Amino acid sequence: MSKIGTESYRLGTYAVDFENRIKMSTIFNYMQECAINHAHSQSYGVKEMTEEGLFWILSRAYIDVLEYPKLGDTITVKTWTKGTDKIFVLRDFKVYSSDRVIANVTTNWVIVDWKKMRPQRPKILNGTIDNLEDEYAVKEVPGKIFDVDNKEHVFDKNISYCDIDINHHVNNVRYVEMVLDSFCEDYYLKRQPKILHINFLNQCKYGQTIELHKGYNKETDNYYVEGVDKDSRKKYFQALIKWTNKK
């Protein structure tokens, strides 16, 4: 069993945007797949967790994209766990194109009990997780995201079949797509996402409606995006996204 999981993917038409460059959400999809397969190789994957009445939830993620590969390129994702922080299991990723690092990512994962629907301490896995504590893609651990005042309503998203994952709630990549969809085409023609920090706060299920709100923080040059339940006003996610001008 390797402490580092490695997988490679060739970028097809479904993986890129209208300028033939990989979408940030595609990187998240590949990361998720690589993490699932690496966890399985370490004996704490979906099958093993389900047998114990447990499942994984991605709680927080921070990605810094250095380069956007193009259609037909092959990228390689490497992932490993680097330790714990309170209830969080910390997992990092490095994404490569050829020998170049094109993205650095850190994530916080939570173990949840199926019956109680409550977070569990990582020690419940009895030392199964084999960490690389001195290796990291991003040194900092993603923290809380704070609201901003000057938000505007962007659009509503009705949750349907394609949004739901194997845990019967909205897949985390769908939330990333909602953040990216909060910006118009003209914005993408001039800029590209550089950094995304997203925290997943609550489960959203089939048939619910999410309101997307967006605001801008001049001091940090970040956009704040949140998803809120149209009826209960419960927040499903909060995100900060920083853009860079295209070269």
Side-chain angles (χ1 to χ4, degrees):
M1 296 187 299
S2 174
K3 290 186 177 183
I4 300 178
T6 304
E7 295 194 3
S8 295
Y9 308 90
R10 186 176 183 274
L11 301 184
T13 54
Y14 62 88
V16 299
D17 64 12
F18 55 78
E19 294 189 313
N20 289 339
R21 295 187 181 275
I22 190 171
K23 293 177 285 189
M24 183 181 276
S25 55
T26 299
I27 300 175
F28 267 84
N29 265 319
Y30 291 157
M31 285 162 38
Q32 182 172 263
E33 194 69 17
C34 188
I36 289 171
N37 293 335
H38 181 240
H40 176 70
S41 74
Q42 299 284 310
S43 300
Y44 54 87
V46 174
K47 179 178 180 293
E48 295 83 3
M49 298 288 278
T50 301
E51 290 173 352
E52 297 296 326
L54 305 169
F55 65 99
W56 288 104
I57 283 183
L58 177 57
S59 177
R60 299 173 181 176
Y62 178 99
I63 179 171
D64 182 0
V65 180
L66 310 176
E67 180 184 338
Y68 282 86
K70 298 180 179 179
L71 176 68
D73 290 347
T74 296
I75 69 168
T76 299
V77 180
K78 293 182 180 290
T79 187
W80 63 95
T81 54
K82 63 180 182 182
T84 61
D85 181 23
K86 299 176 183 178
I87 65 168
F88 298 121
V89 175
L90 309 179
R91 175 179 286 277
D92 275 15
F93 302 80
K94 280 186 176 287
V95 186
Y96 297 82
S97 179
S98 298
D99 294 327
R100 304 183 309 278
V101 176
I102 64 106
N104 292 304
V105 189
T106 190
T107 55
N108 300 2
W109 297 74
V110 177
I111 303 166
V112 179
D113 184 290
W114 266 114
K115 291 183 178 179
K116 299 178 182 178
M117 293 304 292
R118 300 292 298 173
Q120 303 297 304
R121 293 278 178 179
K123 65 182 181 181
I124 197 171
L125 295 183
N126 295 319
T128 305
I129 300 177
D130 197 3
N131 297 310
L132 280 174
E133 297 183 358
D134 296 326
E135 292 287 333
Y136 55 84
V138 178
K139 195 167 186 178
E140 296 78 14
V141 176
K144 293 182 179 180
I145 294 175
F146 297 98
D147 204 340
V148 298
D149 295 326
N150 59 335
K151 297 187 297 290
E152 62 179 5
H153 177 259
V154 186
F155 65 88
D156 288 355
K157 167 65 177 174
N158 297 317
I159 302 305
S160 53
Y161 172 76
C162 289
D163 301 310
I164 303 301
D165 66 12
I166 60 175
N167 293 326
H168 303 284
H169 55 68
V170 175
N171 185 275
N172 61 78
V173 179
R174 291 297 190 185
Y175 293 124
V176 174
E177 292 173 344
M178 292 178 206
V179 173
L180 299 176
D181 285 342
S182 298
F183 298 85
C184 65
E185 182 182 15
D186 287 345
Y187 211 86
Y188 282 99
L189 292 173
K190 300 175 183 178
R191 303 173 181 87
Q192 57 192 18
K194 166 67 173 166
I195 294 172
L196 175 66
H197 174 190
I198 183 166
N199 291 353
F200 308 99
L201 305 177
N202 288 290
Q203 297 182 40
C204 185
K205 298 185 177 181
Y206 203 118
Q208 293 179 291
T209 300
I210 298 178
E211 287 184 6
L212 274 293
H213 305 144
K214 181 175 70 176
Y216 178 63
N217 187 327
K218 290 183 180 181
E219 293 182 3
T220 60
D221 193 28
N222 284 330
Y223 279 93
Y224 170 89
V225 183
E226 66 179 14
V228 178
D229 189 277
K230 191 173 183 66
D231 297 320
S232 70
R233 314 313 296 168
K234 176 171 61 177
K235 287 183 182 179
Y236 292 118
F237 73 86
Q238 292 176 295
L240 294 174
I241 184 167
K242 183 183 287 287
W243 296 73
T244 185
N245 292 329
K246 289 184 175 178
K247 297 179 181 179

